[in-house]
Amino acid sequence: MKVYALFMVLFLCVDAVAAQAGPEAAEEPLQAAIALQQHSQQHSDDWQVQQQRLLAEYDRLQQQSAELRQRSAELQQQCEAGREQIANARQALVEGGRFRAELQPFLSDSLQLLRQQQAVDLPFDLELRRQRLEDLGRLLTDREVPAAEALQALLTYLQQEVAAGRQVVTALQPVEVAGERRLLQQVRLGRLLLLAQSPDGRESLRYDSLASRWQSLESRWHRPLGQIIAMAQRRRPLELVQLPLGRLVQP
């Protein structure tokens, strides 16, 4: 408004001067007034553009601020959830330690029974099974090992032993008999029976777990043992065969 008022004042002054001095004297002030009006219009247009830019920037900042507030709220919720998880984990550690302590007697008794069982068991895969039992013993006696891990290790060991107890295996292996090392064809029926026979089939033996030694069998067992070996090697169809079981002992 001030610009337009100034323009009107100048126009009136120019008109007054023109009336007194004539057209030539009024032309120069008129040109100055027109230039001032153009400059003012350009300044007004520039201000409008800048104003639109500032409004757009303000809207952008407002939207960004809203997004940041939303993100802050989400992070706050995540922090709260994280604190709750940490508290639950600490409680679980406390309860797990208490359960581990209560479970320890059972683990110790189980380990002792397994060692007793292996001491009187049939002598097969000795090194492998001894190493497995040693590894299990370290886990079961280490109170820093979580209860779930200890129980899983115990279960895995029992599954391996059960699987071995279901196998029928035959192999030509060296056997120490009465202080003499001999090469005999062995056949193991799970954990029930461990038998051996000379390659010519004229000597048969059974392993006595209680005495921890091989015992010779009577000649009447030569043929049934040969049949068992043939069936284990799948050279003969399965059939019922009488076997020298001996004494069955529960450790």
Side-chain angles (χ1 to χ4, degrees), residues 91-107 143 145-152:
Q91 182 64 25
L93 287 175
V94 173
E95 295 177 356
R98 186 184 304 115
F99 178 65
R100 183 68 169 82
E102 296 173 353
L103 186 66
Q104 189 57 44
F106 166 76
L107 297 176
R143 295 179 180 271
V145 175
E149 184 177 347
L151 287 174
Q152 181 61 44

Short mmCIF file of all heavy atoms in Angstrom, two decimals, residues 91-107 143 145-152:
data_model
loop_
_atom_site.label_atom_id
_atom_site.label_comp_id
_atom_site.label_asym_id
_atom_site.label_seq_id
_atom_site.Cartn_x
_atom_site.Cartn_y
_atom_site.Cartn_z
N GLN A 91 15.40 -63.78 35.24
CA GLN A 91 14.59 -64.67 36.06
C GLN A 91 14.76 -66.12 35.63
O GLN A 91 14.83 -67.04 36.46
CB GLN A 91 13.11 -64.26 35.98
CG GLN A 91 12.18 -65.07 36.84
CD GLN A 91 12.47 -64.92 38.32
OE1 GLN A 91 13.03 -63.90 38.75
NE2 GLN A 91 12.11 -65.92 39.11
N ALA A 92 14.82 -66.32 34.29
CA ALA A 92 15.01 -67.68 33.78
C ALA A 92 16.36 -68.24 34.21
O ALA A 92 16.47 -69.44 34.51
CB ALA A 92 14.89 -67.68 32.26
N LEU A 93 17.40 -67.38 34.23
CA LEU A 93 18.71 -67.85 34.67
C LEU A 93 18.68 -68.27 36.14
O LEU A 93 19.26 -69.29 36.52
CB LEU A 93 19.75 -66.74 34.47
CG LEU A 93 20.18 -66.47 33.03
CD1 LEU A 93 21.12 -65.28 32.96
CD2 LEU A 93 20.86 -67.70 32.43
N VAL A 94 17.99 -67.49 36.92
CA VAL A 94 17.88 -67.84 38.35
C VAL A 94 17.15 -69.16 38.52
O VAL A 94 17.59 -70.06 39.25
CB VAL A 94 17.18 -66.71 39.12
CG1 VAL A 94 16.91 -67.14 40.56
CG2 VAL A 94 18.03 -65.45 39.09
N GLU A 95 16.00 -69.29 37.83
CA GLU A 95 15.23 -70.52 37.94
C GLU A 95 15.98 -71.70 37.34
O GLU A 95 15.91 -72.82 37.87
CB GLU A 95 13.88 -70.33 37.24
CG GLU A 95 12.99 -69.30 37.91
CD GLU A 95 11.70 -69.09 37.16
OE1 GLU A 95 11.54 -69.69 36.08
OE2 GLU A 95 10.84 -68.32 37.65
N GLY A 96 16.71 -71.44 36.21
CA GLY A 96 17.49 -72.51 35.60
C GLY A 96 18.60 -73.00 36.52
O GLY A 96 18.87 -74.20 36.61
N GLY A 97 19.27 -72.07 37.21
CA GLY A 97 20.30 -72.47 38.16
C GLY A 97 19.73 -73.28 39.30
O GLY A 97 20.34 -74.27 39.75
N ARG A 98 18.55 -72.90 39.77
CA ARG A 98 17.91 -73.64 40.85
C ARG A 98 17.51 -75.04 40.38
O ARG A 98 17.72 -76.04 41.09
CB ARG A 98 16.67 -72.88 41.33
CG ARG A 98 16.01 -73.51 42.57
CD ARG A 98 14.74 -72.77 42.95
NE ARG A 98 14.99 -71.36 43.17
CZ ARG A 98 14.49 -70.39 42.43
NH1 ARG A 98 13.71 -70.68 41.40
NH2 ARG A 98 14.76 -69.13 42.71
N PHE A 99 16.97 -75.11 39.17
CA PHE A 99 16.58 -76.42 38.62
C PHE A 99 17.80 -77.31 38.39
O PHE A 99 17.76 -78.52 38.63
CB PHE A 99 15.81 -76.21 37.31
CG PHE A 99 15.41 -77.50 36.63
CD1 PHE A 99 14.51 -78.37 37.22
CD2 PHE A 99 15.95 -77.84 35.39
CE1 PHE A 99 14.14 -79.55 36.60
CE2 PHE A 99 15.60 -79.02 34.77
CZ PHE A 99 14.69 -79.88 35.37
N ARG A 100 18.91 -76.67 37.91
CA ARG A 100 20.15 -77.44 37.69
C ARG A 100 20.65 -78.04 39.00
O ARG A 100 21.09 -79.20 39.02
CB ARG A 100 21.22 -76.52 37.08
CG ARG A 100 22.54 -77.22 36.74
CD ARG A 100 22.33 -78.20 35.61
NE ARG A 100 23.57 -78.70 35.07
CZ ARG A 100 24.29 -79.69 35.58
NH1 ARG A 100 23.84 -80.32 36.66
NH2 ARG A 100 25.41 -80.08 35.01
N ALA A 101 20.57 -77.27 40.08
CA ALA A 101 21.02 -77.78 41.38
C ALA A 101 20.13 -78.93 41.85
O ALA A 101 20.62 -79.92 42.41
CB ALA A 101 21.02 -76.64 42.39
N GLU A 102 18.82 -78.80 41.62
CA GLU A 102 17.91 -79.87 42.02
C GLU A 102 18.07 -81.12 41.15
O GLU A 102 17.83 -82.24 41.60
CB GLU A 102 16.46 -79.37 41.94
CG GLU A 102 16.16 -78.22 42.91
CD GLU A 102 14.77 -77.65 42.69
OE1 GLU A 102 14.11 -78.05 41.70
OE2 GLU A 102 14.35 -76.79 43.49
N LEU A 103 18.52 -80.92 39.91
CA LEU A 103 18.67 -82.03 38.98
C LEU A 103 19.98 -82.77 39.16
O LEU A 103 20.11 -83.93 38.75
CB LEU A 103 18.58 -81.50 37.54
CG LEU A 103 18.58 -82.51 36.40
CD1 LEU A 103 17.32 -83.36 36.44
CD2 LEU A 103 18.69 -81.79 35.05
N GLN A 104 20.96 -82.14 39.79
CA GLN A 104 22.30 -82.71 39.88
C GLN A 104 22.34 -84.11 40.49
O GLN A 104 23.06 -84.99 39.98
CB GLN A 104 23.23 -81.76 40.65
CG GLN A 104 24.69 -82.18 40.61
CD GLN A 104 25.20 -82.28 39.18
OE1 GLN A 104 24.92 -81.42 38.34
NE2 GLN A 104 25.94 -83.35 38.90
N PRO A 105 21.62 -84.39 41.58
CA PRO A 105 21.65 -85.76 42.12
C PRO A 105 21.22 -86.82 41.10
O PRO A 105 21.82 -87.89 41.02
CB PRO A 105 20.70 -85.70 43.31
CG PRO A 105 20.72 -84.27 43.72
CD PRO A 105 20.85 -83.49 42.46
N PHE A 106 20.18 -86.51 40.34
CA PHE A 106 19.73 -87.45 39.32
C PHE A 106 20.80 -87.67 38.26
O PHE A 106 21.06 -88.80 37.84
CB PHE A 106 18.44 -86.93 38.67
CG PHE A 106 18.08 -87.64 37.39
CD1 PHE A 106 17.53 -88.91 37.42
CD2 PHE A 106 18.29 -87.03 36.16
CE1 PHE A 106 17.20 -89.56 36.24
CE2 PHE A 106 17.97 -87.67 34.98
CZ PHE A 106 17.42 -88.95 35.02
N LEU A 107 21.46 -86.60 37.82
CA LEU A 107 22.50 -86.72 36.82
C LEU A 107 23.69 -87.53 37.34
O LEU A 107 24.25 -88.36 36.62
CB LEU A 107 22.97 -85.33 36.38
CG LEU A 107 21.92 -84.44 35.70
CD1 LEU A 107 22.48 -83.06 35.40
CD2 LEU A 107 21.40 -85.08 34.42
N ARG A 143 28.51 -77.89 36.72
CA ARG A 143 27.28 -77.20 37.13
C ARG A 143 27.02 -75.92 36.33
O ARG A 143 25.94 -75.33 36.47
CB ARG A 143 27.35 -76.87 38.63
CG ARG A 143 27.38 -78.13 39.50
CD ARG A 143 27.46 -77.78 40.98
NE ARG A 143 27.49 -78.98 41.80
CZ ARG A 143 26.42 -79.59 42.27
NH1 ARG A 143 25.22 -79.09 42.01
NH2 ARG A 143 26.53 -80.67 43.02
N VAL A 145 26.94 -75.98 33.12
CA VAL A 145 26.20 -76.43 31.93
C VAL A 145 24.71 -76.35 32.25
O VAL A 145 24.26 -76.88 33.27
CB VAL A 145 26.60 -77.87 31.54
CG1 VAL A 145 25.75 -78.36 30.38
CG2 VAL A 145 28.08 -77.92 31.19
N PRO A 146 23.90 -75.71 31.40
CA PRO A 146 22.46 -75.62 31.66
C PRO A 146 21.82 -77.00 31.76
O PRO A 146 22.28 -77.97 31.16
CB PRO A 146 21.93 -74.85 30.44
CG PRO A 146 23.11 -74.10 29.90
CD PRO A 146 24.30 -74.96 30.18
N ALA A 147 20.74 -77.05 32.53
CA ALA A 147 20.05 -78.32 32.76
C ALA A 147 19.56 -78.93 31.45
O ALA A 147 19.67 -80.15 31.24
CB ALA A 147 18.89 -78.11 33.72
N ALA A 148 19.01 -78.10 30.56
CA ALA A 148 18.49 -78.62 29.29
C ALA A 148 19.61 -79.25 28.47
O ALA A 148 19.42 -80.32 27.85
CB ALA A 148 17.83 -77.49 28.50
N GLU A 149 20.79 -78.63 28.45
CA GLU A 149 21.91 -79.18 27.69
C GLU A 149 22.39 -80.49 28.30
O GLU A 149 22.72 -81.45 27.58
CB GLU A 149 23.05 -78.17 27.64
CG GLU A 149 24.23 -78.62 26.80
CD GLU A 149 25.32 -77.56 26.72
OE1 GLU A 149 25.05 -76.41 27.10
OE2 GLU A 149 26.44 -77.89 26.28
N ALA A 150 22.43 -80.56 29.63
CA ALA A 150 22.86 -81.78 30.30
C ALA A 150 21.88 -82.93 30.02
O ALA A 150 22.29 -84.06 29.73
CB ALA A 150 22.98 -81.54 31.80
N LEU A 151 20.59 -82.64 30.11
CA LEU A 151 19.59 -83.67 29.84
C LEU A 151 19.64 -84.13 28.39
O LEU A 151 19.47 -85.32 28.10
CB LEU A 151 18.20 -83.14 30.19
CG LEU A 151 17.89 -82.99 31.69
CD1 LEU A 151 16.54 -82.33 31.88
CD2 LEU A 151 17.90 -84.36 32.37
N GLN A 152 19.84 -83.20 27.47
CA GLN A 152 19.94 -83.56 26.06
C GLN A 152 21.14 -84.46 25.82
O GLN A 152 21.07 -85.42 25.04
CB GLN A 152 20.04 -82.29 25.21
CG GLN A 152 20.11 -82.54 23.71
CD GLN A 152 18.87 -83.26 23.19
OE1 GLN A 152 17.76 -82.91 23.55
NE2 GLN A 152 19.07 -84.27 22.34
#
